[in-house]
Amino acid sequence: MLIHKPSRNIALSFIYFFLSTVITWWFIYCGTALYHFDEQKMLLSCCIAGGKWALQIVAALVFLGDKKWLFIRRIAFTCFIGSCILLPYCFAPIRNMIPGNPFLVSLIAAVAAMLILYYRSVGSTAISIKWYFGWVCCLAVAISLQLTVVFHVL
């Protein structure tokens, strides 16, 4: 079990979160027009997306004891998969095949997958379901910030 190999969990966590950040930035960059070509909004959007993960990492480091790096690795993988689901939007031929608003469709698909995977991360790490609900709250705040501060929809 990887709980006894914190160095492996730390390394994988770093790799997953790094790749997620790169992919998410690419996704945001491909949607530049949606941000009205405003790099500040794009950076803010990426920071909001990363902020919910950073909060979970800090909480895990503070509260989870021996399970912290196992849990962080699992949520890092969740983040990575969510980012990978955004990839089709980054390729114009594929993006053009996505019905409706491809940016929104990609985001909804990524969030849906991450909701399931985060829940499984909590269960497989054998920690309180409160961690899942805490992340859902962080996600709701992040979405609200994106809609109000970045996109001015609400």
Side-chain angles (χ1 to χ4, degrees):
M1 180 182 266
L2 293 176
I3 194 168
H4 300 295
K5 297 184 182 186
S7 60
R8 178 177 162 87
N9 286 330
I10 292 167
L12 286 171
S13 297
F14 176 80
I15 291 166
Y16 289 143
F17 278 126
F18 175 77
L19 291 173
S20 295
T21 301
V22 170
I23 293 167
T24 300
W25 178 252
W26 187 20
F27 173 76
I28 291 169
Y29 180 79
C30 289
T32 301
L34 298 170
Y35 293 91
H36 305 289
F37 304 96
D38 185 337
E39 286 185 18
Q40 295 293 343
K41 282 185 179 181
M42 294 166 64
L43 285 171
L44 179 59
S45 184
C46 197
C47 288
I48 291 169
K52 71 181 174 295
W53 294 107
L55 185 59
Q56 295 297 301
I57 292 167
V58 169
L61 290 171
V62 171
F63 297 113
L64 286 183
D66 291 343
K67 294 181 179 183
K68 65 186 165 201
W69 286 110
L70 176 63
F71 181 65
I72 292 169
R73 179 190 51 87
R74 287 178 173 160
I75 65 171
F77 181 73
T78 295
C79 180
F80 174 68
I81 294 300
S83 295
C84 287
I85 292 171
L86 301 174
L87 278 173
Y89 180 82
C90 298
F91 300 97
I94 299 171
R95 178 176 53 237
N96 295 334
M97 294 186 322
I98 300 172
N101 180 338
F103 189 83
L104 187 59
V105 169
S106 297
L107 283 172
I108 290 170
V111 168
M114 288 187 298
L115 284 167
I116 294 164
L117 292 172
Y118 199 100
Y119 182 81
R120 290 180 64 193
S121 295
V122 168
S124 62
T125 310
I127 58 176
S128 170
I129 192 71
K130 291 177 185 177
W131 282 88
Y132 175 73
F133 292 119
W135 183 74
V136 170
C137 288
C138 287
L139 181 62
V141 169
I143 290 169
S144 297
L145 287 171
Q146 295 280 4
L147 292 175
T148 56
V149 178
V150 177
F151 293 109
H152 304 291
V153 173
L154 298 178

